[in-house]
Amino acid sequence: MKKLALLAATALIVAAAPTPGDIEAAAPASAWITVAPDALVQVTTPRGKFLLQLAPDFAPAHVTAIRDLVRAGAFNGGAVVRVQDNYVVQFAAAEAKIPPRTSQLAPEFERPLAGLAFTPLSSPDAYADAGGFVNGWPAATDRQAKTVWLQHCYGMVGVGRGNAPDNGDGSELYAVIGHAPRHLDRNMAVAGRIVSGIEQLSSLPRGTEALGFYKTPAEQLAVTAAVLVSDLPAGQRPTVMVMDTASTTFAAYVRARANRSDAFFVRPAGAVDACNVRVPVRITP
Amino acid sequence: MKKLALLAATALIVAAAPTPGDIEAAAPASAWITVAPDALVQVTTPRGKFLLQLAPDFAPAHVTAIRDLVRAGAFNGGAVVRVQDNYVVQFAAAEAKIPPRTSQLAPEFERPLAGLAFTPLSSPDAYADAGGFVNGWPAATDRQAKTVWLQHCYGMVGVGRGNAPDNGDGSELYAVIGHAPRHLDRNMAVAGRIVSGIEQLSSLPRGTEALGFYKTPAEQLAVTAAVLVSDLPAGQRPTVMVMDTASTTFAAYVRARANRSDAFFVRPAGAVDACNVRVPVRITP
């Protein structure tokens, strides 16, 4: 009798702690940031559509270059050219459709922290003075340099380049499909993330050439179209909301991610890294 | 003229610092540990063969249970039943072939550090007092409890269980196919890792049911056979060598991973987490 009562009490305590999913589902309207439609690219392939959210706060010149390429139709007829396991998927604009380049883009690998609300995590970050979040993005900071940059978490999208730091032009983009390759942080212009449909890319066959490039064009997944959501007819625009990482709701979400109270867990971690937080995103329709 | 000379000097400096690949390729025989053939399971599916290395030092009872299931043929006719993006692939023995269970397996979620050579990383770990390596495995430690456990890095294999910590029996195994879900550390018996062929699993279509389970058996990938390498005919046994994480070669490898000197990198990270180190593995033939 006593044992049963104890069990019931335990069950009550467990039920009382909201899970990350509970917090996400109950998040008030004020806890979300609506993404501007011109910061969203809808990409169509034979596998379906995926949505790329751009990061103009972090890589403004690269985001402008990507927008210009999308509007010029350069990605229509492009392809996924590279899939490297536990690393990246890379897609490229159609070479013949890339307008001649008039100048190089300056590297946008980090930016001043000033003017941004950085929400740090309490647990240490192996790669930076602090890991945390800015405007819904996983980020990290350098205390001395007072700079901030986006972390290469799963789904984040960067601009491919050669060895020269300024020769990426936005026509080759990669998305992370493995453990966060944080050694790329501050070495690449991180220009966005895939907010829906990444499973269409992460489940592609891996390329068998060096770095996961496909051997033949026949292996590549076609990019049939890429369009800015702001250029879609009004009735066809998906709405994307990202949880405001400066909100008290997000703080509760992070605590719940770090201290999983589901009955499954025997020992909550008590910590979480920024890439495992997985900032909630709501997409309609 | 001066500029060219400067460039040449820089190129020389860059070439002088060995890359992680250089160190791996040049690693002497003494830097490798040969995996015992009875700690290797060769699994065959219509996509090919993959190799699972077992971790008897960390989950001895679970490893024994897996070996017994393999020898009983329980995985022949099994299937991949679940693929959840950025999380895990789960494969299950054929239910009808699982011998009746005579007792529960005690949880093997961590173990005493005593008797093991733990090589710590110098950078902090978000989830533990220290991240590092033991006997070729990515691991982490609790300084006060003097315990050690395997990290849930990409490719690591754990034993599925229900909410009860002791009801995993080795007949359902999951492999990590995304950013390391470190919140599972110390909550699961990590019994091994996939040392080759994981791309056959990570590129599977994601399941559309809750937790990535497939909706229908037709979607599942069949497991046609699983056999201990020690039970293969002598001429058919692959040899697997894992770099000795206590060796000076491995220390140099970790330094090179943390400080990438390839011409591509403008700012070496100066740090690396255990999952990004990716312990080198050599497989022949």
Side-chain angles (χ1 to χ4, degrees), chain B residues 87-114:
Chain B
Y87 202 47
V88 297
V89 164
Q90 192 167 319
F91 51 102
E95 216 165 325
K97 293 186 185 167
I98 302 171
R101 191 197 291 209
T102 50
S103 63
Q104 305 293 95
L105 296 175
E108 294 174 315
F109 301 165
E110 57 190 315
R111 58 153 285 168
L113 183 53

Side-chain angles (χ1 to χ4, degrees), chain B residues 39-54 66 70 75 78-81 89-92 155-157 173-177 192-202 204 221-229 232 238 240 283:
Chain B
L40 290 167
V41 184
Q42 181 182 272
V43 183
T44 306
T45 79
R47 289 187 156 218
K49 290 186 198 323
F50 65 89
L51 269 178
L52 163 63
Q53 179 194 0
L54 300 170
I66 294 167
V70 168
F75 283 100
V80 176
V81 294
V89 164
Q90 192 167 319
F91 51 102
M156 297 292 282
V157 171
L173 303 173
Y174 63 89
V176 173
I177 56 156
R193 71 179 147 202
I194 294 176
V195 289
S196 76
I198 191 163
E199 70 284 355
Q200 298 161 16
L201 303 176
S202 56
L204 283 168
L221 178 74
V223 173
T224 37
V227 62
L228 281 173
V229 165
L232 285 171
V240 175
I283 301 180

Side-chain angles (χ1 to χ4, degrees), chain B residues 222-282:
Chain B
V223 173
T224 37
V227 62
L228 281 173
V229 165
S230 52
D231 291 342
L232 285 171
Q236 291 174 28
R237 295 180 197 159
T239 299
V240 175
M241 294 192 300
V242 174
M243 194 176 278
D244 180 356
T245 49
S247 68
T248 53
T249 302
F250 184 73
Y253 178 83
V254 171
R255 278 195 302 275
R257 291 286 296 175
N259 299 288
R260 301 286 287 265
S261 62
D262 331 23
F264 186 78
F265 289 91
V266 297
R267 181 194 283 271
V272 64
D273 67 49
C275 292
N276 265 333
V277 167
R278 305 188 191 183
V279 179
V281 174
R282 267 188 192 169

Side-chain angles (χ1 to χ4, degrees), chain B residues 152-167:
Chain B
H152 272 85
C153 296
Y154 195 97
M156 297 292 282
V157 171
V159 176
R161 63 169 175 84
N163 282 353
D166 64 352
N167 78 353

Side-chain angles (χ1 to χ4, degrees), chain B residues 104-157:
Chain B
Q104 305 293 95
L105 296 175
E108 294 174 315
F109 301 165
E110 57 190 315
R111 58 153 285 168
L113 183 53
L116 294 181
F118 179 73
T119 305
L121 286 166
S122 53
S123 34
D125 185 290
Y127 291 85
D129 291 333
F133 302 89
V134 170
N135 292 348
W137 299 93
T141 58
D142 181 321
R143 208 169 288 126
Q144 202 165 12
K146 297 189 170 67
T147 56
V148 63
W149 58 91
L150 295 182
Q151 290 194 26
H152 272 85
C153 296
Y154 195 97
M156 297 292 282
V157 171

Side-chain angles (χ1 to χ4, degrees), chain A residues 47 84-87 109-110 123-127 142 153-154 161-163 165 177-188 198-199 202-206 257 260 263-273 275-276 278, chain B residues 47 84-87 109-110 123-127 142 153-154 161-163 165 177-188 198-199 202-206 257 260 263-273 275-276 278:
Chain A
R47 289 187 157 217
Q84 187 172 359
D85 196 63
N86 190 15
Y87 202 47
F109 301 165
E110 57 189 315
S123 34
D125 185 290
Y127 291 85
D142 181 320
C153 296
Y154 195 95
R161 63 169 175 83
N163 281 353
I177 57 155
H179 187 73
R182 297 285 307 280
H183 57 288
L184 295 177
D185 288 9
R186 302 171 104 178
N187 281 283
M188 311 298 293
I198 190 162
E199 71 283 356
S202 55
S203 62
L204 283 168
R206 278 44 183 157
R257 291 286 295 176
R260 302 287 287 266
F264 186 78
F265 289 90
V266 297
R267 182 194 283 269
V272 65
D273 68 48
C275 292
N276 265 332
R278 305 190 191 182
Chain B
R47 289 187 156 218
Q84 186 172 1
D85 196 62
N86 189 16
Y87 202 47
F109 301 165
E110 57 190 315
S123 34
D125 185 290
Y127 291 85
D142 181 321
C153 296
Y154 195 97
R161 63 169 175 84
N163 282 353
I177 56 156
H179 187 72
R182 298 283 309 278
H183 57 288
L184 295 178
D185 287 9
R186 301 172 105 177
N187 281 280
M188 310 300 292
I198 191 163
E199 70 284 355
S202 56
S203 62
L204 283 168
R206 278 46 180 154
R257 291 286 296 175
R260 301 286 287 265
F264 186 78
F265 289 91
V266 297
R267 181 194 283 271
V272 64
D273 67 49
C275 292
N276 265 333
R278 305 188 191 183

